């Protein structure tokens, strides 16, 4: 049997980068234009499973097609600067025989060993600006470029990211060297790292919201990989897959993957019933892999807010949520904003919100907290209000 064409693994490249053509085209133009292009340094923000890591991978592919070097790391573990600096120096070592004399002299003056003098155990975190300058000068001399990508920015150490930003800004905006930067993180960066006035470099990066796919892009992402294998998927089956996935990139891959597995003969045809089976399995996995990690990081009040939303069959009114919580609409709006940043909920019109994924409502309803509150609500129809003063 042919290999399953879908890739429901975080960070794994899907068979088709549907719906991201505009982003890739813009960054490709930035690579061609150089450091003066506003998107030469960029941030990609979105919820878990939206495809941010996949986009970083696609940008590295674009860089490699141009003969560029790429250095990638994730901010989730400490020592980010040292990791990036050593990867840069390792490349300088490979090119040590053609480093310009001035570059070699600058490295020696900064105490950075190259060639036989390279020490893989040295701490280069405070000398990353010297490393970038050397690699930028080499790229300029070679007529190539360097792309630095950093994932999981929301988990990074603010002091390290501040120093990284200063180093990149110095080599790109001041030195005009061909060193491009692309970072990715959760949307909550808007209220944390990007709200810190000391991290000016990241605030000046071009920002891209990596959201859900529109129906046309979701259709292509599901139908084309199947079609390229010579398999038939009925229009009704594709429509159903688009509907249940809601254009959420990770869900698109999950539904497609499990529909393929559910089909008796996927090489012949994938039916609407196969998609329904796949959707049921995918919904459970979304709860485990996406919703549960978000839920774990929520404050008790934010959880109560989401539980209050789950009492509705569809979209919720902020006024109703505030009444159920026994708080003012202004107080409820604070937690609405925080939940929007996590990607757990989305706006649904003036004064209304809904869960970003329908499967989230079902997952919340399985929680003991929800069942206890529902039981309390039945006993006390006025809701679980705070006691009055």
């Amino acid at each position: 049997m042919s290999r399953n064409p879908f890739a429901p693994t975080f960070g794994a490249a899907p068979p088709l980068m549907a719906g991201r053509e505009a982003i890739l085209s813009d960054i490709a133009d930035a690579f061609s234009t150089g450091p003066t292009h506003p998107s030469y340094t960029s941030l990609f923000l979105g919820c878990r499973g939206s495809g941010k890591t996949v986009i970083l991978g696609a940008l590295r592919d674009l860089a490699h097609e141009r003969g560029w070097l790429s250095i990638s790391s994730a901010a989730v573990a400490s020592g980010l600067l040292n990791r990036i600096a050593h990867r840069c120096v390792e490349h300088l070592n490979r090119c040590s025989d053609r480093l310009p004399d001035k570059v070699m002299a600058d490295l020696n003056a900064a105490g950075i060993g190259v060639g036989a003098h390279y020490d893989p155990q040295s701490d280069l975190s405070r000398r990353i600006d010297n490393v970038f300058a050397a690699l930028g000068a080499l790229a300029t001399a070679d007529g190539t470029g360097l792309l630095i990508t950093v994932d999981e920015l929301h988990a990074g150490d603010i002091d390290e990211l501040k120093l990284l930003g200063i180093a990149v800004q110095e080599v790109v905006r001041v030195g005009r060297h061909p060193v491009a930067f692309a970072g990715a993180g959760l949307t909550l960066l808007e209220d944390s790292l990007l709200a810190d006035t000391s991290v000016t470099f990241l605030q000046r990066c071009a920002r891209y919201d990596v959201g859900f796919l529109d129906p046309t892009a979701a259709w292509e992402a599901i139908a084309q990989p199947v079609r390229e294998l010579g398999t038939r998927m009925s229009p009704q089956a594709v429509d159903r897959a688009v509907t249940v996935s809601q254009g959420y990139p990770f869900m698109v891959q999950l539904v497609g993957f499990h529909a393929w597995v559910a089909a008796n003969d996927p090489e012949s045809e994938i039916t609407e019933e196969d998609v329904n089976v796949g959707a049921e399995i995918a919904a459970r996995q979304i709860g485990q892999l996406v919703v549960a990690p978000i839920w774990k990081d929520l404050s008790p009040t934010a959880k109560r807010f989401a539980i209050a939303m789950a009492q509705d069959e569809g979209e919720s009114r902020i006024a109703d949520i505030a009444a159920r919580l026994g708080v003012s609409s202004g107080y409820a709006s604070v937690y609405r904003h925080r939940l929007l940043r996590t990607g757990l909920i989305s706006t649904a019109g003036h004064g209304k919100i809904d869960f970003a994924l329908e499967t989230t409502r079902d997952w919340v309803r399985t929680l003991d907290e929800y069942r206890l509150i529902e039981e309390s609500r039945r006993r006390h129809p006025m809701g679980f209000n705070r006691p009055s003063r």
Side-chain angles (χ1 to χ4, degrees):
M1 187 172 67
S2 298
R3 177 182 59 85
N4 193 316
F6 297 97
T9 303
F10 286 111
L16 177 68
M17 283 283 289
R20 309 304 189 199
E21 296 84 359
I23 291 177
L24 298 182
S25 175
D26 197 26
I27 301 301
D29 184 55
F31 288 171
S32 298
T33 303
T36 58
H37 196 290
S39 294
Y40 209 66
T41 56
S42 304
L43 290 181
F44 300 90
L45 306 180
C47 64
R48 288 179 174 86
S50 59
K52 304 179 297 299
T53 302
V54 171
I55 289 176
L56 292 184
L59 298 188
R60 290 193 291 271
D61 290 341
L62 285 176
H64 296 161
E65 289 171 5
R66 287 166 168 73
W68 286 24
L69 171 71
S70 71
I71 303 290
S72 63
S73 190
V76 69
S78 61
L80 172 68
L81 297 183
N82 199 42
R83 289 195 301 276
I84 293 176
H86 273 285
R87 288 170 188 170
C88 290
V89 174
E90 287 166 5
H91 179 71
L92 290 171
N93 284 336
R94 292 191 290 270
C95 306
S96 59
D97 59 333
R98 55 188 180 84
L99 285 177
D101 291 340
K102 184 179 184 309
V103 171
M104 186 66 80
D106 289 342
L107 289 171
N108 289 331
I112 301 171
V114 179
H117 302 290
Y118 172 59
D119 179 7
Q121 303 304 318
S122 61
D123 183 3
L124 300 178
S125 58
R126 295 289 174 174
R127 288 170 283 178
I128 194 167
D129 52 341
N130 304 100
V131 174
F132 282 171
L135 208 48
L138 178 63
T140 299
D142 289 346
T144 59
L146 166 68
L147 171 65
I148 300 166
T149 65
V150 179
D151 206 353
E152 307 285 351
L153 282 172
H154 55 274
D157 178 85
I158 191 167
D159 291 328
E160 282 201 309
L161 294 175
K162 189 189 306 182
L163 291 174
L164 175 65
I166 292 171
V168 173
Q169 185 166 272
E170 184 70 21
V171 74
V172 178
R173 302 304 183 196
V174 179
R176 296 298 188 191
H177 289 303
V179 179
F181 172 84
L186 298 178
T187 310
L188 52 83
L189 267 175
E190 294 279 9
D191 296 324
S192 56
L193 192 62
L194 295 180
D196 190 323
T197 55
S198 67
V199 193
T200 55
F201 167 72
L202 293 180
Q203 293 169 341
R204 293 169 184 166
C205 288
R207 295 186 201 178
Y208 294 87
D209 292 322
V210 183
F212 286 14
L213 304 177
D214 62 40
T216 300
W219 177 284
E220 292 176 357
I222 294 167
Q224 186 167 322
V226 173
R227 186 167 54 245
E228 288 179 351
L229 290 179
T231 297
R232 182 177 183 276
M233 191 172 186
S234 70
Q236 295 80 7
V238 180
D239 275 336
R240 179 59 181 160
V242 170
T243 299
V244 297
S245 69
Q246 297 180 251
Y248 177 44
F250 185 48
M251 186 72 161
V252 166
Q253 296 301 309
L254 273 177
V255 171
F257 182 90
H258 290 299
W260 177 279
V261 172
N264 289 327
D265 183 9
E267 292 185 334
S268 175
E269 182 180 24
I270 297 177
T271 66
E272 188 173 359
E273 181 56 34
D274 297 329
V275 171
N276 287 332
V277 173
E280 185 176 343
I281 299 171
R284 291 198 298 270
Q285 292 186 317
I286 285 292
Q288 298 165 357
L289 301 174
V290 178
V291 182
I294 296 175
W295 189 264
K296 184 173 77 67
D297 293 334
L298 294 180
S299 69
T301 304
K303 290 177 181 178
R304 282 164 53 87
F305 189 104
I307 287 170
M309 284 181 60
Q311 294 171 23
D312 294 317
E313 292 303 327
E315 60 191 31
S316 301
R317 295 173 61 245
I318 293 293
D320 292 340
I321 300 302
R324 290 169 191 166
L325 294 174
V327 299
S328 67
S329 293
Y331 185 89
S333 293
V334 171
Y335 287 91
R336 164 192 173 275
H337 176 78
R338 293 178 184 177
L339 285 172
L340 284 171
R341 290 299 192 200
T342 67
L344 195 71
I345 69 173
S346 60
T347 57
H350 182 66
K352 297 178 181 178
I353 50 176
D354 201 350
F355 289 108
L357 292 170
E358 182 59 33
T359 55
T360 302
R361 190 188 323 277
D362 297 331
W363 186 88
V364 171
R365 287 177 173 179
T366 66
L367 299 174
D368 290 339
E369 300 101 301
Y370 177 83
R371 289 194 289 268
L372 287 172
I373 288 174
E374 273 294 280
E375 183 180 340
S376 175
R377 192 163 68 99
R378 286 193 293 271
R379 291 200 306 265
H380 307 285
M382 291 301 293
F384 46 104
N385 296 350
R386 286 181 172 179
S388 58
R389 289 181 179 273

